[in-house]
Amino acid sequence: MDVNHLVAEIFSPALRMPLGAVIIYLGILLAIAEGLSRKNHLSPELTRKIVHIGSGNVLLLAWWFAIPMEIGIAAAFIAGLIALSSYFLPILPSVNSVGRQSLGTFFYALSIGLLIWWFWSIQQPVFAVLGILVMAWGDGLAAVIGSQFGKHPYEIFGNKKSLEGTATMFGVAFLICCLLFLNFDLLLWQKLTIALIVALCATSFESIAQFGIDNFLVPVGSGAIAFLLIQTLH
């Protein structure tokens, strides 16, 4: 990656408004999470999920504003470094706790960088957006619903889940796929079938993964499976 070219892109007039909007959005998101964590005494897990869900929307903004691939990868790299540092230093306690036994936030940043590199480079950013939104909203809401309303717990490979949380993960993933497939040149049954397969795979990854690796498997797996299935049908 050419650093001089990257810096020139970042400060180009055409990108000032899009990048400014993204930075402001992230700043507001982190401020809200930190405020809720410190003043309202919300649980660290709940404030983490607020950031988890909200930060996923950044990829949607990057797609809408056509932010270049190099900038997205650089941002994901910086986010990954911050995530790793936060496991050892008291950086953004609403995102990570020092000594936490999960690298989920790091894997999240890694998946964003990989998806941007893969799908921006082939002019198919919708699949990167799909993968991240499935992870952000599906996994995030599944954790919230499961912790607040989960009445039917189960355990798989040591992971404690609830049927309510798992159903939320599947439903949200299916809905996101259906919405993003609206403009695809496919028959309705094809769109619904692919959405069903992606949702089932994403839910399975989220149920069995440990140590935060679901933050990598779910987005990358969802984006890749959707892309390969649609390419097969075209």
Side-chain angles (χ1 to χ4, degrees):
M1 186 182 297
D2 188 332
V3 175
N4 291 329
H5 176 69
L6 178 62
V7 172
E9 279 195 319
I10 291 174
F11 289 100
S12 68
L15 287 177
R16 286 175 188 168
M17 190 277 287
L19 290 178
V22 171
I23 292 170
I24 291 171
Y25 171 79
L26 285 174
I28 293 173
L29 175 66
L30 291 174
I32 290 172
E34 289 294 313
L36 290 174
S37 175
R38 296 180 182 184
K39 294 183 179 180
N40 293 347
H41 305 293
L42 292 183
S43 69
E45 192 60 31
L46 184 55
T47 52
R48 270 194 292 272
K49 289 305 177 183
I50 292 173
V51 176
H52 177 88
I53 293 172
S55 59
N57 297 329
V58 170
L59 214 62
L60 194 59
L61 295 174
W63 178 31
W64 285 345
F65 291 135
I67 290 175
M69 176 183 70
E70 294 83 0
I71 294 177
I73 293 174
F77 177 76
I78 293 171
L81 287 180
I82 294 173
L84 285 177
S85 300
S86 69
Y87 289 100
F88 309 101
L89 300 171
I91 302 173
L92 298 177
S94 64
V95 178
N96 284 317
S97 299
V98 175
R100 194 166 173 248
Q101 298 301 308
S102 170
L103 289 172
T105 308
F106 169 73
F107 286 129
Y108 196 22
L110 180 63
S111 70
I112 290 174
L114 178 59
L115 286 169
I116 290 175
W117 170 77
W118 182 359
F119 291 114
W120 253 250
S121 66
I122 60 174
Q123 288 76 54
Q124 295 287 347
V126 63
F127 296 104
V129 172
L130 183 149
I132 293 302
L133 291 185
V134 165
M135 182 65 212
W137 286 94
D139 177 76
L141 289 178
V144 173
I145 296 299
S147 62
Q148 298 297 317
F149 306 104
K151 304 298 182 184
H152 300 86
Y154 69 93
E155 187 170 325
I156 180 169
F157 299 133
N159 293 328
K160 295 180 180 180
K161 304 289 181 179
S162 72
L163 293 179
E164 291 81 2
T166 298
T168 300
M169 176 70 192
F170 174 81
V172 172
F174 182 77
L175 178 61
I176 288 171
C177 290
C178 288
L179 291 174
L180 291 177
F181 292 163
L182 284 176
N183 292 325
F184 278 57
D185 186 21
L186 296 170
L187 298 175
L188 178 60
W189 73 265
Q190 293 174 320
K191 295 178 183 180
L192 293 177
T193 300
I194 295 174
L196 178 64
I197 293 172
V198 172
L200 285 171
C201 291
T203 303
S204 299
F205 294 150
E206 194 272 338
S207 296
I208 65 176
Q210 300 185 48
F211 309 115
I213 194 67
D214 58 316
N215 283 4
F216 182 84
L217 289 179
V218 171
V220 174
S222 297
I225 291 168
F227 173 72
L228 293 173
L229 288 175
I230 287 177
Q231 291 302 307
T232 300
L233 290 175
H234 272 178

